[in-house]
Amino acid sequence: SDVVQHMLFKYLDSNHPEYDPSAQEMLFLAFYNQLDEQIRRVAELFTTQNPGGITLIASDHGFESHHRRFGLGDWLKSEGFLKVKQTLLKNHVTQQIIEKIYLGTEKVLPKKIKVELRKLRISKQELIDWDHTRAFSEFACGEGFIYLLEEDEADKKKTQNEIVQKIATIVDPLNSRKIVKKVHLCDELYSGDKKHLMPDIVLEPTDGYSFTGTCLNRRHLFSPVKSEKIMNIGKHHKEGIFVASGQGVKKQQEAFLRLIDIVPTLLYYMGVPLPSSLEGRVAMELFEAELIKATPVCKFQKMENKNDTPERYEYSNEEKELIQQRLKDLGYID
């Protein structure tokens, strides 16, 4: 569903200029009907074997249209936050030609020629002068992710403030609309011992816009989202879906859950004590009064000895291969 909605969302969004109701009908018949049938089969299998269970459907995001992309990486370069290597830049036109040849003929070229062409390609990372770069961005998935590289905290804070102030004032010359709906800082969004790996600034785009993080060295910061140039006609929306059905679940009950609420809600339903360190809440509004009365919320006691940590699970080679195959089947890795 993710790939279909990225590529064909213009047929699902009735407000999109390229919307085609006949194409939408075809999509529902050829794809979504089949998807619903597979969900029915899975749900039926498990509820038959476990009549007292529940069926959950959750998505980590939704979808929406976007019509204009903003080159965040190129903007960081234009403002002096990101530096590129001039020696590599001189060959940038040649690189673009090599890139087009490589991408356009990859499936038909002999392996030896593909290997040689691959050697000639300069990656976007190689183009960056890391020693003189204060900030860089990555990804092209809707939001803008900016990472700050300065080690001195005072310098880092100064750069952060400068970027936030400047980026908030950017408008699209086509319609004078501001392109940033909201700016989020790292401390507002993330916690835990991996927080240092997270972006320092996250930009939430105005409806209809998205960000391209990679520095492509383009002259124009804005570009239209057209199907002949980009596969991602639909982009992620932060609100997805959550559906629960089964014994003890209220019918026709609306609830707002975050992703981190799903695990504690599941553990609660199964009668498993919640780890004290677990984030999220139990969505009690999903359940009937009888189930709530019979299933009190309980938590694990905090471990008194810091060294008394659970033993880390090591995956076997077979399990690693199975996980890799599942990721390939989902289209996340080649």
Side-chain angles (χ1 to χ4, degrees):
S1 60
D2 186 79
V3 174
V4 167
Q5 287 163 194
H6 271 306
M7 298 183 68
L8 303 174
F9 199 71
K10 62 184 180 181
Y11 300 134
L12 299 172
D13 180 4
S14 59
N15 294 316
H16 196 282
E18 296 182 59
Y19 172 71
D20 182 345
S22 61
Q24 185 192 65
E25 184 179 3
M26 180 274 292
L27 266 176
F28 276 105
L29 289 172
F31 177 73
Y32 288 100
N33 280 3
Q34 298 299 318
L35 179 62
D36 287 346
E37 172 60 16
Q38 297 308 314
I39 292 171
R40 184 196 66 76
R41 290 178 63 191
V42 171
E44 192 175 79
L45 173 66
F46 280 90
T47 52
T48 300
Q49 294 183 356
N50 181 19
I54 59 172
T55 300
L56 300 179
I57 299 175
S59 72
D60 57 335
H61 58 77
F63 266 87
E64 63 181 332
S65 294
H66 60 140
H67 308 287
R68 300 269 283 170
R69 274 190 180 276
F70 180 76
L72 184 58
D74 290 314
W75 178 81
L76 289 171
K77 173 180 170 288
S78 70
E79 294 292 327
F81 298 109
L82 183 148
K83 301 289 184 181
V84 295
K85 297 176 182 176
Q86 296 301 321
T87 51
L88 291 179
L89 208 56
K90 290 178 182 178
N91 298 321
H92 193 68
V93 174
T94 307
Q95 281 297 310
Q96 288 178 321
I97 295 171
I98 291 172
E99 189 80 3
K100 286 182 179 179
I101 293 173
Y102 181 84
L103 294 175
T105 58
E106 185 182 9
K107 292 182 179 179
V108 296
L109 282 175
K111 187 175 181 181
K112 287 184 179 179
I113 297 178
K114 282 198 290 187
V115 170
E116 293 305 314
L117 271 178
R118 208 177 279 132
K119 290 178 184 177
L120 292 172
R121 295 167 75 204
I122 296 175
S123 73
K124 304 300 185 298
Q125 299 289 347
E126 286 182 280
L127 198 64
I128 297 175
D129 181 355
W130 294 106
D131 291 335
H132 300 94
T133 290
R134 291 188 286 159
F136 77 101
S137 58
E138 266 297 341
F139 313 117
C141 53
E143 291 76 20
F145 301 102
I146 299 176
Y147 299 80
L148 305 177
L149 300 179
E150 290 164 302
E151 293 183 5
D152 183 82
E153 285 301 319
D155 291 340
K156 192 174 182 180
K157 185 71 175 178
K158 184 180 177 182
T159 298
Q160 176 181 278
N161 292 339
E162 191 178 346
I163 290 175
V164 168
Q165 289 174 7
K166 286 186 174 183
I167 202 79
T169 63
I170 295 175
V171 297
D172 186 346
L174 198 66
N175 51 31
S176 299
R177 290 183 69 194
K178 286 190 175 183
I179 63 168
V180 177
K181 180 188 290 185
K182 194 170 183 181
V183 177
H184 303 272
L185 301 181
C186 182
D187 290 337
E188 300 170 13
L189 300 177
Y190 306 111
S191 61
D193 58 0
K194 301 295 183 183
K195 190 174 76 170
H196 64 286
L197 300 175
M198 299 297 104
D200 297 281
I201 303 171
V202 176
L203 305 176
E204 188 178 337
T206 300
D207 295 345
Y209 289 86
S210 60
F211 294 102
T212 297
T214 308
C215 180
L216 301 172
N217 204 47
R218 291 175 176 171
R219 287 188 300 170
H220 302 292
L221 295 177
F222 287 90
S223 58
V225 177
K226 293 184 177 180
S227 51
E228 62 268 22
K229 290 186 176 181
I230 184 173
M231 291 176 63
N232 291 346
I233 294 300
K235 76 178 181 77
H236 292 175
H237 188 280
K238 65 178 182 180
E239 293 182 6
I241 62 168
F242 178 82
V243 181
S245 174
Q247 185 175 329
V249 177
K250 288 182 181 178
K251 294 183 179 179
Q252 305 297 323
Q253 176 70 31
E254 291 188 359
F256 179 81
L257 278 79
R258 301 166 298 167
L259 285 173
I260 59 173
D261 298 331
I262 295 176
V263 169
T265 300
L266 274 175
L267 293 178
Y268 165 77
Y269 184 84
M270 294 188 293
V272 177
L274 308 182
S276 58
S277 60
L278 189 65
E279 292 183 271
R281 68 180 184 89
V282 177
M284 303 296 289
E285 66 271 26
L286 293 176
F287 304 117
E288 299 281 2
E290 292 80 4
L291 185 143
I292 295 173
K293 187 177 180 181
T295 315
V297 178
C298 58
K299 293 190 175 184
F300 284 126
Q301 295 295 318
K302 288 185 178 179
M303 290 179 289
E304 295 181 6
N305 186 353
K306 291 184 178 179
N307 296 322
D308 188 20
T309 55
E311 185 178 343
R312 182 174 176 176
Y313 180 79
E314 294 292 336
Y315 289 100
S316 67
N317 290 333
E318 291 77 12
E319 288 172 323
K320 289 177 182 177
E321 289 176 6
L322 178 61
I323 292 170
Q324 281 192 325
Q325 187 58 51
R326 286 177 177 173
L327 290 172
K328 286 179 181 178
D329 293 341
L330 289 168
Y332 286 114
I333 61 174
D334 295 327

